[in-house]
Amino acid sequence: MLGATGAVGQAFVRLLVDHPWFELVEVAASERSAGKRYDEATRWLGSEIPRQVAGMPVRSCDPGEVSAEIVFSALDSSVAGEAEQRFAAAGRWVISNAKNHRMEPDVPLVIAEVNPDHMALLEAQRARRGWTGAIVTNGNCSTIALVSAIAPLHRAFGIRRAVVVTMQAVSGAGYPGVPSLDALGNVVPFIRDEEEKIEEETLKFLGTMEGEGIRPANVVVGAHTNRVPVENGHTICVSLELEHPVAPHEARAALLDWKGAPAARDLPTSPERPVIVRDEVDRPQPRRDAGSGGGMSTVVGRIRADPVLGLRMVAMAHNVVRGAAGAAVQNAELLVATGRMPSP
Ligand code: NAP
């Protein structure tokens, strides 16, 4: 686990310590932490550090220091790009949560329920780069919440245009993250690079495999992003223009029918329902709904007509689990279940 001491790294640790298929054998972080015990190097954000990991020595993020075959990365983006390439070149499977490689044409950007077929990019990636390892990525936390909610509608009715307004939790900025005087009782209407990520990654997620690459979906997305004083759970208000316009009850039915791609259905981290529809007038809410499906379900509500684009709704997902660590662990499970990665 690279970046094991950070906010997302800790979520990975929680998911991996009792994982049925994977064993967490090594933790690594910056030179500030290397050489210390994990519990000394980490400002643990929960109550107890799992005992299996507390006494582990923190290693440097160097393939010579880390021997595991599968390397999860929650590294800061200032270092993730190069570090992940070194591990892939050294024959490791790098399952990354960082932004650096997501938009490269030969790197899969995958939500297991939405586009598992994009893992086929790995063949071209390894051939082109001469790697015995590989890099697989999951998306930006808001993009994952958005795409998980709109993919069923895109598949059923086609999306032409989307206008998105996010209300993003402070945990999305890592630890210590947003200064308290900026966060408390306030809204910050800017998150660096976030709007661009939502607008670009969405098209890759919803795109189709063609030959050795992805043809981006023919959808236009416009995003406004805001940081709000919420601990966990990004909320997204979205208005959609559909190729085949439908009434809100038909959109609701398509979301209720959605079970996600068959390849994702029985993975240990997959929730029973990837999308949960709430009919109460005031849901979803991060405080009440961020834990749905163990933090892996995207909760959708307020599905109604939109006088401008046709349809609107609110989606919410746990940014650290569905939007980060859980998505990456699920991608690793997908690789094992489909025989691409060595079996446990
Ligand atoms: P964070 O709390 O700041 O943690 C950053 C991690 O990177 C720490 O383990 C840190 O180790 C390590 N690191 C920093 N500089 C390093 C260096 N020079 N060499 C090696 N390791 C270094 O950040 P985070 O929120 O967990 O985010 C981690 C990654 O996930 C980022 O790329 C972020 O963009 C992405 N992400 C975050 C979220 C979210 O909701 N938070 C969602 C999606 C994606 P030390 O403790 O030793 O400094």
Side-chain angles (χ1 to χ4, degrees):
M1 181 64 236
L2 311 181
T5 52
V8 174
Q10 294 181 33
F12 270 102
V13 165
R14 274 192 290 271
L15 290 170
L16 290 173
V17 283
D18 293 320
H19 195 278
W21 297 357
F22 305 128
E23 185 189 356
L24 180 60
V25 289
E26 290 155 328
V27 289
S30 78
E31 294 306 321
R32 293 180 290 277
S33 306
K36 296 181 183 166
R37 282 166 52 113
Y38 183 71
D39 57 1
E40 287 164 4
T42 306
R43 171 116 177 138
W44 187 253
L45 297 170
S47 55
E48 294 290 335
I49 297 192
R51 57 176 171 70
Q52 304 94 309
V53 72
M56 278 187 187
V58 178
R59 295 164 193 260
S60 305
C61 293
D62 183 310
E65 294 274 319
V66 171
S67 58
E69 296 160 80
I70 305 171
V71 176
F72 290 99
S73 167
L75 285 173
D76 190 84
S77 58
S78 61
V79 291
E82 267 190 42
E84 292 173 358
Q85 288 191 34
R86 283 200 305 274
F87 277 92
R92 317 303 172 76
W93 286 88
V94 179
I95 315 296
S96 171
N97 185 58
K99 68 176 182 187
N100 307 61
H101 299 292
R102 285 177 194 154
M103 293 306 293
E104 288 168 17
D106 59 354
V107 173
L109 174 67
V110 169
I111 297 172
E113 289 95 344
V114 173
N115 60 334
D117 56 314
H118 290 196
M119 290 292 190
L121 288 177
L122 287 171
E123 274 94 69
Q125 181 192 113
R126 298 173 112 186
R128 196 170 302 152
R129 303 194 190 218
W131 288 345
T132 47
I135 298 179
V136 169
T137 62
N138 55 267
N140 159 270
C141 39
S142 298
T143 314
I144 293 179
L146 172 70
V147 171
S148 301
I150 66 173
L153 302 177
H154 186 60
R155 301 274 187 261
F157 314 116
I159 295 172
R160 272 200 191 128
R161 297 193 293 168
V163 175
V164 174
V165 180
T166 71
M167 286 159 278
Q168 300 185 212
V170 288
S171 59
Y175 186 84
V178 188
S180 56
L181 286 180
D182 287 338
L184 288 172
N186 198 20
V187 173
V188 181
F190 175 70
I191 303 173
R192 187 168 303 285
D193 297 335
E194 196 81 355
E195 290 165 0
E196 293 80 356
K197 288 183 208 165
I198 294 171
E199 291 169 5
E200 292 166 8
E201 291 176 20
T202 300
L203 310 194
K204 185 168 178 182
F205 275 123
L206 297 179
T208 41
M209 268 306 290
E210 267 188 19
E212 289 192 346
I214 306 289
R215 185 161 59 85
N218 190 17
V219 176
V220 184
V221 181
H224 306 257
T225 56
N226 302 283
R227 188 74 69 192
V228 298
V230 163
E231 187 183 352
N232 289 309
H234 289 353
T235 303
I236 304 182
C237 297
V238 52
S239 292
L240 298 169
E241 181 181 72
L242 301 174
E243 277 165 35
H244 305 285
V246 292
H249 74 269
E250 294 169 283
R252 178 180 177 278
L255 289 164
L256 281 175
D257 275 353
W258 175 253
K259 294 184 183 61
R265 279 185 204 154
D266 295 318
L267 303 176
T269 303
S270 295
E272 201 180 315
R273 298 200 67 89
V275 173
I276 292 174
V277 176
R278 306 265 351 179
D279 291 324
E280 301 90 328
V281 291
D282 59 355
R283 301 286 277 275
Q285 295 178 16
R287 178 171 295 160
R288 293 185 167 79
D289 298 314
S292 301
M296 285 297 286
S297 294
T298 298
V299 184
V300 176
R302 305 219 61 225
I303 305 164
R304 61 214 194 279
D306 182 89
V308 181
L309 292 183
L311 186 74
R312 57 186 154 170
M313 61 191 197
V314 181
M316 196 285 313
H318 196 303
N319 51 298
V320 183
V321 182
R322 172 76 272 184
V329 172
Q330 193 190 28
N331 278 346
E333 294 166 356
L334 176 68
L335 289 168
V336 171
T338 52
R340 290 185 188 278
M341 202 156 73
S343 259

